[in-house]
């Protein structure tokens, strides 16, 4: 399926993937120099921004870690805890149920 928030392009024989949501973006490519050039161009076009590199990232409430065995771990416990706490604020409100 086609997703309008994901773009793929072959660069130097390897796939570069860009995924974005509102003002957050995550990019992957096998060659770090390609990622560095992409970051440089983004800053030139849009101004200063935080660029995270390495194997650990925070993206849309997810803590993403690329492990040494090439697997990916995604931890959303903090995000889910926040959702539960916000829900509990409204859980005590009486509501009329309409059937």
């Amino acid at each position: 399926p086609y997703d309008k928030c994901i773009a793929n392009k072959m660069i130097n024989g390897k796939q570069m993937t860009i995924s974005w949501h509102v003002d957050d973006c995550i990019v992957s490519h096998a060659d770090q120099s390609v990622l560095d050039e992409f970051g440089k161009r983004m800053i030139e076009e849009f101004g200063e921004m935080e660029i995270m590199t390495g194997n650990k990232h925070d993206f849309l409430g997810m803590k993403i870690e690329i492990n040494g065995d090439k697997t990916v771990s995604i931890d959303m416990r903090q995000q889910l805890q926040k959702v539960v706490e916000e829900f509990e604020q409204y859980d005590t409100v009486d509501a009329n149920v309409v059937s």
Side-chain angles (χ1 to χ4, degrees):
Y2 176 72
D3 188 329
K4 296 177 183 177
C5 295
I6 297 177
N8 294 297
K9 181 177 182 178
M10 296 302 289
I11 300 176
N12 299 339
K14 303 285 184 180
Q15 179 174 300
M16 178 181 205
T17 300
I18 305 168
S19 175
W20 61 89
H21 177 78
V22 186
D23 63 349
D24 287 323
C25 174
I26 191 166
V27 182
S28 65
H29 192 276
D31 185 345
Q32 183 62 46
S33 67
V34 171
L35 296 172
D36 293 340
E37 180 62 25
F38 177 80
K40 179 180 164 189
R41 288 186 180 191
M42 291 289 288
I43 290 170
E44 288 171 358
E45 182 69 26
F46 301 107
E48 283 303 312
M49 62 184 68
E50 179 182 3
I51 296 179
M52 298 172 57
T53 61
N55 293 334
K56 293 183 180 183
H57 302 275
D58 290 324
F59 184 66
L60 302 177
M62 297 178 283
K63 295 194 180 302
I64 302 169
E65 184 171 358
I66 302 166
N67 304 307
D69 62 358
K70 304 292 184 188
T71 60
V72 176
S73 299
I74 300 174
D75 182 355
M76 294 186 66
R77 287 178 286 189
Q78 286 182 325
Q79 181 71 11
L80 292 172
Q81 183 62 41
K82 181 179 173 184
V83 169
V84 168
E85 289 169 1
E86 289 177 7
F87 180 77
E88 286 174 344
Q89 291 177 2
Y90 299 102
D91 190 37
T92 59
V93 177
D94 289 331
N96 294 325
V97 177
V98 177
S99 54

